[in-house]
Amino acid sequence: MKVGLVLGAGGVAGGAWLTGALQAIATETGWDPGSADRIVGTSAGSVIGAFTAAGLPPWFMVAHSKGETFEGLTGPDGRPAADADRSGGAVFRLHRGLPSVGPGSLKLGLSTLARPRRHTPLELTVGWLPRGVMSTDPISDIVRRTVPWQWVDHPSFWAVACDYASGRRVGFGRPGAPDADLADAVAASCSIPGFYRPVEIGGRRYVDGGVRSASNLDLVAGLGLDLVICLNPTSTRVGGGAGIVGLHPLDRVLGLNRAASGRRLGSEARRVRAGGTEVVLIQPGSEDLAVIGRNMMSGKRRNEVIETAIRTVGRAVRLPGIREQLTGLPQGEAHKIERPSGPPEQWPDIVPTAPLSARAA
């Protein structure tokens, strides 16, 4: 069975939800998400996707987030794994340099206005926002600390970003995409317009891949996959897809965004299914939304979000319809599914240990 894994955008809280969701899927099915034939990540999904493609098992990411230490276990850069960053991306630093004045990308703003019906409301506004003042260096640093090579040693991992001048979607790691360092590609995929500074790669600037689509699920259409598992933190099936959980005015805005994300997700899923590929869509439920809250860039409740996702996604995976779709997943190695016994220095292949032998195609 050829399996694709698509991880959507969602900020710090969305990354935590993805971590818990992957842990639930691995535990319930015995499948190693890192063994997926194709992994596509957008924004927060590109961070978790990069770690997954590098071979980090979900249980390790969960334990690390909780603050567990691993005496005797070293990271790929030779430093103790216990010293690695545990913020989950919730570290924000101002970009070095003067703030820009005026639209961040006048070219993008004008081009989208020329054909407004071809673009989402978000795409229509992105070019007119000022360039963000926050640096993406903390995101790059987390990735380089975990995978200190040009790219992951995985046959097909794509980090999705958008060209800041044209709005064109770019899947770094995809054949024909510009060459990029993994940390830069992931940072570009996470560069929220108006908040983070755009990331320059090969002389062009890139911003968050979520500008085009929160999931970019349609990128795997027609690739000959038998099954695609898509985890999308920014949509829900609750309340007609809006998932409004309170009376605060911001809850209404967030509900509208979730509904729009869900409509786009459904449209992309239909396109993938039209090519003969089964699609499993997993989205936050009411319990998840209550814990995630209104600020998806906050890391305060990150571990609570992870634990909630482990429970809710575990229940979802046990539902008859989804369980049947996941029945044929290949079984992963035991140490990728559950924490091994014995001291950490005796654990096999828990963290990436070998440099990239060849550029991922």
Side-chain angles (χ1 to χ4, degrees):
M1 173 184 280
K2 297 188 67 175
V3 183
L5 177 65
V6 176
L7 304 175
V12 176
W17 182 83
L18 289 170
T19 300
L22 289 175
Q23 167 69 352
I25 292 171
T27 301
E28 294 294 332
T29 66
W31 175 67
D32 170 22
S35 68
D37 296 275
R38 193 173 304 275
I39 300 175
V40 177
T42 300
S43 199
S46 74
V47 178
I48 304 303
F51 295 164
T52 301
L56 283 179
W59 69 259
F60 183 89
M61 288 189 267
V62 172
H64 179 78
S65 179
K66 288 181 178 179
E68 289 193 40
T69 57
F70 309 96
E71 296 299 330
L73 187 67
T74 58
D77 58 358
R79 291 186 290 173
D83 295 343
D85 181 274
R86 300 174 191 272
S87 67
V91 173
F92 307 107
R93 295 202 302 261
L94 289 173
H95 172 77
R96 294 178 181 177
L98 295 174
S100 61
V101 178
S105 178
L106 184 60
K107 184 176 180 179
L108 178 59
L110 293 173
S111 66
T112 54
L113 282 182
R115 295 181 176 179
R117 293 185 179 181
R118 291 191 174 188
H119 302 281
T120 65
L122 178 58
E123 290 177 289
L124 289 171
T125 60
V126 161
W128 302 103
L129 295 173
R131 276 181 282 176
V133 298
M134 305 306 295
S135 172
T136 57
D137 287 348
I139 298 172
S140 301
D141 291 343
I142 291 173
V143 176
R144 287 195 175 96
R145 175 70 171 80
T146 307
V147 191
W149 315 303
Q150 184 183 17
W151 206 257
V152 288
D153 197 8
H154 183 278
S156 188
F157 166 65
W158 301 347
V160 185
C162 286
D163 188 299
Y164 200 31
S166 67
R168 183 174 63 91
R169 182 170 51 177
V170 176
F172 290 105
R174 187 180 185 182
D179 286 339
D181 180 84
L182 177 69
D184 292 336
V186 170
S189 181
C190 294
S191 181
I192 303 170
F195 183 75
Y196 284 118
R197 198 77 167 182
V199 176
E200 185 170 320
I201 297 175
R204 299 188 69 84
R205 294 179 299 158
Y206 295 90
V207 293
D208 198 310
V211 168
R212 183 71 176 272
S213 166
S215 69
N216 290 293
L217 172 60
D218 58 321
L219 285 179
V220 301
L223 297 182
L225 298 170
D226 298 300
L227 173 69
V228 172
I229 300 170
C230 177
L231 307 177
N232 197 51
T234 60
S235 59
T236 183
R237 295 183 183 275
V238 179
I244 299 174
V245 295
L247 300 177
H248 193 282
L250 187 55
D251 292 328
R252 178 73 54 180
V253 174
L254 292 172
L256 292 173
N257 288 334
R258 280 192 288 267
S261 177
R263 287 192 296 271
R264 179 67 183 255
L265 180 67
S267 174
E268 293 177 350
R270 287 190 292 274
R271 181 178 174 188
V272 176
R273 288 172 176 138
T277 298
E278 283 193 80
V279 178
V280 172
L281 300 178
I282 298 179
Q283 305 163 74
S286 56
E287 290 180 59
D288 301 292
L289 297 179
V291 176
I292 289 171
R294 301 184 183 105
N295 183 6
M296 298 196 76
M297 296 302 289
S298 172
K300 292 181 179 179
R301 305 176 77 179
R302 188 162 47 87
N303 288 313
E304 190 176 353
V305 171
I306 290 174
E307 290 302 322
T308 302
I310 291 174
R311 292 196 307 272
T312 60
V313 175
R315 288 200 299 265
V317 170
R318 290 192 293 272
L319 292 174
I322 295 179
R323 187 177 64 232
E324 291 171 5
Q325 287 181 291
L326 301 181
T327 298
L329 287 172
Q331 295 299 287
E333 298 176 88
H335 66 276
K336 294 291 187 179
I337 309 303
E338 297 180 349
R339 182 172 182 157
S341 58
E345 62 266 23
Q346 295 180 3
W347 294 349
D349 302 326
I350 297 302
V351 296
T353 55
L356 181 67
S357 57
R359 175 61 192 257

